Amino acid sequence: MSFLERRRTRGALFGSLTAIPLVLAGLLAAPASSADIPGKDEIVKSPNMRHLVNVPKQGPFAAPSAYNSDLAFKGRYAFAGNYDGFVVYDIARPARPKIVSQVSCPGSQNDVSIAGNLLFLSTDAPRTDDSCQSAPGKVADASSWEGIKIFDISDVRNPRYVKAIESECGSHTHTLMPGKRGETFLYVSSYLPSVPSTGTGPDCREPHDKISIIKVPHRNPAAAEVVAEPVLFPDGGNPGDGRPYPEGTRATSGCHDLTTYPDKDLMAGACMGDGVLFDVSDPREPRVIDIVRDDENFAFWHSASFNNRANKIVFTDELGGGSAATCNTAIGPEKGANAIYEIVGKGDERRMEFRSYYKISRPNADTENCVAHNGSLIPVKGRDIMVQAWYQGGISVWDFTDSRRPKEIGFFERGPWSDTISPLGGSWSAYYYNGYIYSNDIQKGLDVLEIDDPRTDPGKRVRLDELNVQTQPNYFD
């Protein structure tokens, strides 16, 4: 989630999240034909998609305000973030996943990643302290805490809290970069440090054109620390196009999400107003190779995915911050969409060239938050295929092998979760892991799906021991 959720957690201009859709409704919503939209909670899907199971949110995570967030995988386990902590699922039998443990540890967004027996959680809202018993803190209070929490998951039934590392402006998302000496580097992304209604906190000031890099020694994770804070945009980045939010492009003030491709020494950055290609051959010093902008159609550069050859990047635009109905005719097919760029040239002369947009075409109700969100490659050699979450727009499997003519080849969605656009619902992350699609639905819980299609079937033969989607594996080289 991006700008609007950030504002909510910092006590912001628009007030509560419940009020946000009322602000956006007049700007973004358009009447949709009810005949084309599934009924409340009704499932519709393409013939090649099978919905194997849903595991509802449970216990302390069952409340509508306990949003499910990102996913990571290790062996037979899936780790699912939630604003109130994280859940460990045993997915050895994908059609019958079991909850192994639930860890209560509040802290928006609690995006999660795995490195060996370590689990990392992002906290991007002020807390009274760094414990799992903390309460919401205040931006203006220097003692408030935001950053990364580390857990030991060698016993998945009893994860153990190891360490917390505070980072400037918190951690909205984080991305792993493997080191070469038994360590992992965490690239911590945060953005929008100042909020007009509350001012700037003492630990988070403009300009904030940087990331925090945390080094975690695997043998001694308690020694983890911030080792660098490189400024990625010494010129300040995109100043924004001057149009009011949500139509206008956001000024760059940090990055929302980074995706590393360690085998290629590359990283793609979705940085509010900028799409960036980095060289990360030195993990402590990411170096900008090229920057692209799209002030006409992109409001908020949210996330990025390479294809396996690393000669394409798919950037997403999270128009409306994930809190608005943007999958409608009023917004059209080029806003709140994916943008496909091809990487041309070599070395430092590489540059990104725009090819096309892709957006789901199915109509959505005005009560459904819908926009491009988190997805991953389906590993099919010689083809570029992704599965992707679209919040209440559902899950789309699409092929961008022809960069100029992307097309959907499968989908799954539910009808509106609620009679109003708040609270939020839908698929936050939809990822392909060892032959199956796993979706962390904000309200409905974990969904497991399978796609049976000649174009994607080769992916079922590819097996991984670990998957953090924002640290892309090289499937075939």
Side-chain angles (χ1 to χ4, degrees):
M1 205 164 296
S2 64
F3 172 68
L4 293 177
E5 185 58 24
R6 176 78 173 186
R7 288 204 163 196
R8 183 182 77 89
T9 58
R10 290 196 179 275
L13 180 65
F14 289 113
S16 71
L17 188 60
T18 303
I20 291 170
L22 301 179
V23 176
L24 294 175
L27 296 171
L28 298 177
S33 172
S34 59
D36 296 328
I37 297 169
K40 188 174 180 180
D41 265 353
E42 178 187 358
I43 289 176
V44 294
K45 58 186 179 63
S46 56
N48 58 358
M49 293 283 279
R50 292 197 297 148
H51 184 215
L52 301 181
V53 69
N54 170 260
V55 182
K57 295 195 299 183
Q58 298 177 24
F61 295 177
S65 59
Y67 297 157
N68 276 339
S69 58
D70 212 1
L71 289 164
F73 304 89
K74 174 182 169 62
R76 63 186 287 174
Y77 299 105
F79 301 82
N82 179 284
Y83 274 45
D84 283 345
F86 65 93
V87 184
V88 183
Y89 295 93
D90 185 331
I91 55 171
R93 301 173 70 183
R96 295 184 180 181
K98 298 178 180 179
I99 293 179
V100 175
S101 57
Q102 291 193 156
V103 176
S104 177
C105 196
S108 163
Q109 305 180 136
N110 276 343
D111 277 11
V112 60
S113 63
I114 304 292
N117 286 325
L118 300 177
L119 179 147
F120 307 101
L121 280 183
S122 278
T123 299
D124 189 36
R127 308 293 300 180
T128 51
D129 56 58
D130 62 7
S131 75
C132 286
Q133 293 75 45
S134 66
K138 297 180 180 179
V139 173
D141 189 344
S143 66
S144 290
W145 181 90
E146 300 177 78
I148 291 286
K149 297 186 180 89
I150 303 176
F151 290 80
D152 184 319
I153 54 166
S154 52
D155 179 358
V156 292
R157 297 185 181 279
N158 296 286
R160 180 174 59 86
Y161 191 157
V162 175
K163 171 86 181 248
I165 305 98
E166 189 167 17
S167 58
E168 187 174 326
C169 297
S171 174
H172 194 69
T173 64
H174 68 271
T175 300
L176 305 189
M177 181 67 183
K180 298 179 180 178
R181 296 178 178 86
E183 75 277 337
T184 293
F185 293 96
L186 275 65
Y187 293 155
V188 176
S189 296
S190 56
Y191 64 94
L192 200 73
S194 63
V195 176
S197 64
T198 62
T200 302
D203 301 323
C204 186
R205 296 182 179 278
E206 296 277 16
H208 182 70
D209 296 315
K210 64 180 73 173
I211 60 172
S212 297
I213 300 179
I214 296 172
K215 178 182 175 182
V216 184
H218 288 200
R219 291 187 177 182
N220 184 19
E225 61 179 346
V226 175
V227 294
E229 291 182 322
V231 174
L232 304 181
F233 306 99
D235 65 350
N238 192 335
D241 62 8
R243 291 179 295 164
Y245 188 83
E247 294 99 330
T249 298
R250 298 302 302 166
T252 297
S253 181
C255 292
H256 179 277
D257 218 327
L258 301 166
T259 296
T260 58
Y261 197 151
D263 275 9
K264 307 290 186 181
D265 286 334
L266 290 176
M267 181 167 72
C271 301
M272 299 183 70
D274 295 288
V276 190
L277 178 65
F278 297 91
D279 180 303
V280 286
S281 52
D282 182 346
R284 294 172 182 254
E285 297 184 5
R287 185 170 55 83
V288 173
I289 298 174
D290 190 30
I291 296 177
V292 290
R293 294 174 180 171
D294 183 352
D295 289 349
E296 180 178 357
N297 287 314
F298 259 46
F300 190 95
W301 296 69
H302 174 275
S303 53
S305 301
F306 290 98
N307 66 339
N308 196 71
R309 292 177 59 197
N311 61 359
K312 299 177 186 176
I313 302 176
V314 175
F315 288 104
T316 68
D317 172 24
E318 197 187 39
L319 173 70
S323 305
T326 72
C327 299
N328 54 44
T329 55
I331 300 303
E334 297 181 346
K335 297 179 185 292
N338 296 321
I340 304 166
Y341 286 79
E342 291 189 359
I343 302 172
V344 300
K346 295 181 179 181
D348 287 350
E349 300 303 314
R350 283 172 288 190
R351 65 187 186 278
M352 295 176 284
E353 293 186 352
F354 173 77
R355 292 294 181 256
S356 67
Y357 297 105
Y358 169 75
K359 188 175 182 180
I360 58 173
S361 58
R362 293 177 303 285
N364 276 250
D366 300 339
T367 59
E368 292 183 287
N369 54 298
C370 174
V371 74
H373 214 236
N374 294 351
S376 75
L377 290 183
I378 296 180
V380 178
K381 193 169 187 177
R383 302 199 68 83
D384 300 322
I385 301 176
M386 278 189 71
V387 59
Q388 186 176 6
W390 291 77
Y391 289 115
Q392 288 198 71
I395 297 166
S396 177
V397 178
W398 61 289
D399 188 321
F400 61 103
T401 307
D402 184 343
S403 302
R404 299 181 189 275
R405 296 175 179 82
K407 58 184 179 182
E408 185 171 77
I409 60 178
F411 74 92
F412 168 91
E413 71 165 312
R414 292 182 172 93
W417 184 79
S418 172
D419 293 330
T420 67
I421 204 168
S422 180
L424 302 185
S427 179
W428 179 292
S429 299
Y431 298 150
Y432 191 90
Y433 178 68
N434 291 351
Y436 296 88
I437 295 168
Y438 296 88
S439 166
N440 208 22
D441 187 286
I442 295 170
Q443 301 294 350
K444 302 296 287 186
L446 182 73
D447 286 303
V448 185
L449 302 101
E450 185 176 20
I451 181 167
D452 292 315
D453 190 288
R455 292 163 289 189
T456 59
D457 285 347
K460 296 179 179 181
R461 297 192 291 268
V462 177
R463 289 290 182 269
L464 297 177
D465 295 325
E466 190 173 285
L467 177 63
N468 300 293
V469 168
Q470 287 76 28
T471 305
Q472 282 197 218
N474 188 339
Y475 287 107
F476 302 113
D477 294 347

